[in-house]
Amino acid sequence: MRAFREAVEAGDLDAVEALLAEDVVFTSPVAFKPYPGKAITAAVLRAVVQVFEDFRYVREIGAPDGPDHALVFQARVGDRELTGCDFLHVNEDGLIDDLMVMVRPLSGAQALGEAMGARFEQIAKDAGARSA
């Protein structure tokens, strides 16, 4: 989805949030259960932009007018390089209702998990403030 990619690349997290459906489900590469809802998804995305360094999309897969998209990215977490993919599904209203992220290698995923885990209390607070 071009609009999501452009908003992420511009660091415009308000525009990213505006592209999320209220019932979006976020599936993290480092958490066991998915996170349902716009507030928690937006809070996670706001935190991950603080964790990722040198983030860049390197490939976009999917028809521009189709409902399914894959955005391949590269980034760094501390001294760990990682490659990942954002898998997006867009609903009938053109909003993202499913966002699944996968990353590799394991050492990169572990570094991401540690960095995000350290921020989870703040993520939960931000999500609560957004849903209020």
Side-chain angles (χ1 to χ4, degrees), residues 104-124:
R104 65 157 308 280
L106 179 58
S107 61
Q110 290 169 327
L112 177 60
E114 289 172 15
M116 291 299 288
R119 288 170 171 76
F120 197 77
E121 186 175 321
Q122 186 61 46
I123 291 168

Side-chain angles (χ1 to χ4, degrees), residues 6 10-11 16-17 21 23 33 38 40-41 71 78 96 112-113 131-132:
E6 289 174 355
V16 170
E17 186 172 352
D23 63 347
K33 295 187 322 188
K38 184 174 184 173
I40 189 68
T41 300
L71 302 172
I96 299 166
L112 177 60
S131 65

Side-chain angles (χ1 to χ4, degrees), residues 8-51:
V8 170
E9 290 176 333
D12 187 347
L13 297 173
D14 290 335
V16 170
E17 186 172 352
L19 293 168
L20 301 175
E22 289 297 327
D23 63 347
V24 64
V25 175
F26 175 73
T27 305
S28 165
V30 296
F32 178 72
K33 295 187 322 188
Y35 297 100
K38 184 174 184 173
I40 189 68
T41 300
V44 168
L45 293 175
R46 288 180 186 280
V48 82
V49 299
Q50 298 170 6
V51 169

